[in-house]
Amino acid sequence: MAVSIIVGAQWGDEGKGKIVDMLSEKIDIVARYQGGANAGHTVVIGDKTYVLHLIPSGIFQKNVKCVIGNGVVIDPAALMDEIAMIRSFGIKIEGRLFISHNAHLIMPYHKLLDNIREQGAQKIGTTGRGIGPAYIDKYMRAGIRVVDLLDRNVLREKLTRNIEEKNQILSKVYGKTEIDVDKIVEEYQKFDSLIDPYVTDTATFLNDALKKGKRILAEGAQGALLDVDHGTYPYVTSSNPTSGGACTGLGIPPTSVKAIIGIVKAYSTRVGNGPFPTELKETTGESLRSIGHEFGATTGRPRRCGWLDMVSLKYSMMVNGISEIALTKLDVLDSFDEIKICVAYKKDGKVLKSFPTDVQTLENIEPVYKTYKGWNETITGVKTWKKLPKRTRDYVETIEKLSGVRVSIVSVGARRDQTIVRK
Ligand code: GDP
Ligand code: IMO
Ligand code: MG
C-alpha cells in the first residue's frame, strides 16, 4: 500500500506542479482529488512551460497514468481544451487519462453565478471558474456528474431542471437575463462521445492498483489555508485541499497513505481577498513578486507577497499531518540582505497560543518576526545540499526546527533539474 499525498501547505501556488512532475519519475499513477480549473499547476521542462488546470502534473512522464478523481469538479469545455493542448505537444493521452464517473460537472451557469456573486457585498476574489456554485449543487444533491453526460436523456432532464431553477435565481434575485435551456443541452450533449473514452470507476481502478503494489501520488490543488473547513473562512475555496480530502476525493482508504508531503514556498503568497498576516505591501513585497514572478497561473492576477509565516505553517502541518516538506522557490530569496520569519502572533499585547481561523481575529493580530541574514548568492545552479551556502542551509534548518518537520526536497529553480533531494 503506497499513497503519497502532495498538499499545498499555504494559500496555493507553492510549486505543487513542479514537485509532482519531478516525483512522478518514480510513480505509477498521479491522481487529482479536489478543486477544478481554478488550479494552475506549472511544469517547466527544458525551455518549455506548461500550465495544467485539471490534468494531473504527472502527464509529462510517459509511463505515468493520470486520474481525475470523484472529488474534482470538471468543466468539460476546459478539460477538452487541455487535452487538445497536451496532444499538440505530442504527448500521448489515450490509455493514460482516467476520469471518475462520479466527478461533478461545472456548467456555464456555475461560472455565471460565481461572477455575479463576486459583484455583490462579499468579494472573495474567486478565479471565476464556477467552483463554489458547482460544489453547492453537489452538496444540494442537484449536481450533474460525468456519468450523466454519457446518457443524453438523463442529461437533458437534469439540465432542464437545474437551468429552470437557476433562471429563477438569475432573474428574480439578480435581475439578469435567463439562460437558454436548449442551447446548453445541445452544447453539452456533444461532450458524451468526447469524454467517454476516459470515463472509469476510478476508485476501483486505484484500489486495484494498490493491491498490485503500484505507487500512487495524490495531487492536491490550492492549499490548506484555502480549505473550506480549515482555512481562513470565508476567504477559501469550496473543497478540502487538506490531506484528508485525498481519501474522500479518490475513494482510497486512509490506511493506504504512507507519506504526506507538504509543499512550502520559502515565503508566502496569496491571490484573492482575505487575511494575510505577513503581507508586505511596500517595496519588499514588490521585490518578492517581481523576482518570484508571482502572477496567477490561471487568472494572471498579481499575487500578494510576504514573509514566511510559521504560525500558519505549524497549523497546516497539524491539520494535514505533514511528514516531510518540499521547500520551493528558495532561490527567490537570493538577493535579500535580510529575511524574516513570523514566529508568533500577538493580539492586544498577548501571544496567541494557536492559529486563529476567524477573519475577525486574523485581521487584527500583529506578527512577531525573527530576522535572519540573507546569503546574497545565486543558488539556482546548486545541485547538492552540501554546496548550498551555509546561510541558506541555516534558513532551511531553521524552518525544520520551527516546524518540527524535515525538509526532504529543496527547489532552487522552476526546472525539473533545479531540485535538491536530501538523503
Ligand atoms: P502550484 O499551483 O502549486 O503548482 O504553483 P504555480 O505553478 O501556480 O506557481 C509556482 C510558480 O513558481 C510557477 O511559475 C513555477 O514554475 C515556479 N517555481 C516552482 N518552483 C520554483 C523554484 O524553486 N524556483 C523558482 N524561481 N520558481 C519556481
Ligand atoms: P493552485 O492549485 C491560489 C483562491 C482564489 C480565491 C479563493 C476562492 O494553483 O494552488 P475559487 O475560484 O476557488 O472559488 O476561489 O481561492 N484560489 C487559489 N489561489 N492557487 C490556487 O490553485 C487557487 N485556486 C483558488 O484566488 O482567493
Ligand atoms: Mg497555481
Side-chain angles (χ1 to χ4, degrees):
M1 294 284 225
V3 177
S4 298
I5 304 175
I6 297 287
V7 286
Q10 293 150 312
W11 279 286
D13 303 327
E14 298 89 351
K16 298 176 290 293
K18 174 196 158 150
I19 300 297
V20 170
D21 166 67
M22 174 238 146
L23 291 176
S24 296
E25 205 185 341
K26 293 188 181 132
I27 287 291
D28 300 299
I29 301 170
V30 179
R32 263 282 300 271
Y33 59 85
Q34 45 67 236
N38 49 349
H41 294 182
T42 314
V43 175
V44 181
I45 305 166
D47 58 2
K48 285 216 168 72
T49 299
Y50 308 88
V51 179
L52 298 166
H53 303 287
L54 283 163
I55 296 177
S57 306
I59 198 75
F60 303 104
Q61 302 278 3
K62 67 178 191 317
N63 296 322
V64 168
K65 294 200 160 72
C66 290
V67 168
I68 300 180
N70 56 277
V72 176
V73 280
I74 300 175
D75 176 343
L79 178 65
M80 286 307 146
D81 286 349
E82 206 165 312
I83 290 176
M85 187 266 288
I86 294 286
R87 276 211 195 103
S88 75
F89 292 117
I91 295 162
K92 189 174 164 268
I93 216 149
E94 273 62 40
R96 296 186 56 214
L97 180 66
F98 301 85
I99 300 172
S100 169
H101 59 331
N102 285 341
H104 282 248
L105 297 176
I106 296 193
M107 290 292 169
Y109 46 81
H110 292 133
K111 287 188 261 191
L112 202 60
L113 288 167
D114 189 1
N115 288 305
I116 291 173
R117 267 196 77 86
E118 282 292 292
Q119 286 154 27
Q122 181 173 264
K123 292 181 174 55
I124 304 293
T126 72
T127 59
R129 298 297 189 267
I131 306 296
Y135 279 113
I136 289 175
D137 277 0
K138 170 173 174 171
Y139 287 97
M140 188 81 91
R141 296 157 295 179
I144 301 177
R145 303 194 291 176
V146 167
V147 63
D148 303 323
L149 208 50
L150 304 183
D151 184 324
R152 291 189 166 216
N153 293 330
V154 171
L155 182 69
R156 171 173 287 278
E157 192 190 310
K158 290 196 175 182
L159 266 178
T160 306
R161 201 188 316 137
N162 279 2
I163 295 173
E164 278 170 1
E165 192 202 28
K166 302 300 183 233
N167 274 340
Q168 295 287 313
I169 299 170
L170 282 170
S171 61
K172 304 239 162 68
V173 180
Y174 296 116
K176 303 276 177 193
T177 320
E178 296 193 1
I179 45 184
D180 185 342
V181 179
D182 291 332
K183 195 167 154 266
I184 293 187
V185 169
E186 198 187 318
E187 191 185 340
Y188 279 77
Q189 277 185 337
K190 76 170 191 272
F191 284 113
D192 69 344
S193 58
L194 295 174
I195 220 165
D196 191 31
Y198 308 104
V199 180
T200 312
D201 171 356
T202 51
T204 302
F205 174 77
L206 289 169
N207 282 283
D208 284 349
L210 281 173
K211 275 187 211 130
K212 288 181 201 146
K214 302 280 184 203
R215 294 152 301 179
I216 298 174
L217 207 55
E219 176 178 357
Q222 290 83 51
L225 302 175
L226 288 172
D227 186 286
V228 69
D229 283 278
H230 303 292
T232 52
Y233 192 89
Y235 297 98
V236 292
T237 190
S238 300
S239 65
N240 290 115
T242 45
S243 55
C247 293
T248 47
L250 294 174
I252 51 164
T255 46
S256 65
V257 179
K258 72 155 200 278
I260 299 162
I261 305 168
I263 314 298
V264 177
K265 197 181 280 193
Y267 48 96
S268 304
T269 61
R270 173 166 204 165
V271 211
N273 303 327
F276 183 0
T278 64
E279 181 170 16
L280 296 162
K281 291 197 171 129
E282 307 299 333
T283 45
T284 314
E286 281 159 24
S287 300
L288 284 170
R289 184 176 311 117
S290 63
I291 300 170
H293 304 293
E294 294 296 355
F295 295 89
T298 296
T299 58
R301 290 178 292 174
R303 294 173 182 152
R304 298 155 67 194
C305 297
W307 295 121
L308 190 66
D309 178 353
M310 207 33 89
V311 182
S312 63
L313 208 51
K314 274 162 104 171
Y315 167 77
S316 181
M317 302 291 150
M318 177 184 83
V319 293
N320 284 302
I322 288 173
S323 53
E324 55 192 287
I325 291 173
L327 188 67
T328 61
K329 305 196 86 162
L330 195 55
D331 55 296
V332 174
L333 301 178
D334 279 357
S335 57
F336 288 82
D337 295 331
E338 284 188 337
I339 298 165
K340 294 187 184 185
I341 297 180
C342 166
V343 292
Y345 290 170
K346 267 190 178 169
K347 184 156 186 278
D348 305 325
K350 284 194 195 115
V351 172
L352 298 186
K353 286 203 173 70
S354 57
F355 178 73
T357 48
D358 63 293
V359 170
Q360 306 83 294
T361 309
L362 259 181
E363 275 175 349
N364 291 299
I365 59 98
E366 180 200 331
V368 180
Y369 290 104
K370 271 198 178 162
T371 304
Y372 302 87
K373 266 204 150 66
W375 44 91
N376 290 112
E377 269 184 62
T378 305
I379 61 168
T380 48
V382 178
K383 302 276 181 225
T384 62
W385 172 250
K386 280 195 185 139
K387 293 239 165 81
L388 281 173
K390 166 132 193 345
R391 284 204 190 123
T392 317
R393 280 183 277 134
D394 287 349
Y395 183 68
V396 176
E397 282 168 357
T398 301
I399 293 171
E400 289 185 316
K401 237 176 256 144
L402 293 173
S403 67
V405 179
R406 184 160 189 273
V407 175
S408 59
I409 296 172
V410 177
S411 175
V412 293
R415 289 199 322 265
R416 259 181 195 171
D417 58 311
Q418 291 174 310
T419 318
I420 298 168
V421 180
R422 289 173 75 193
K423 299 244 161 53

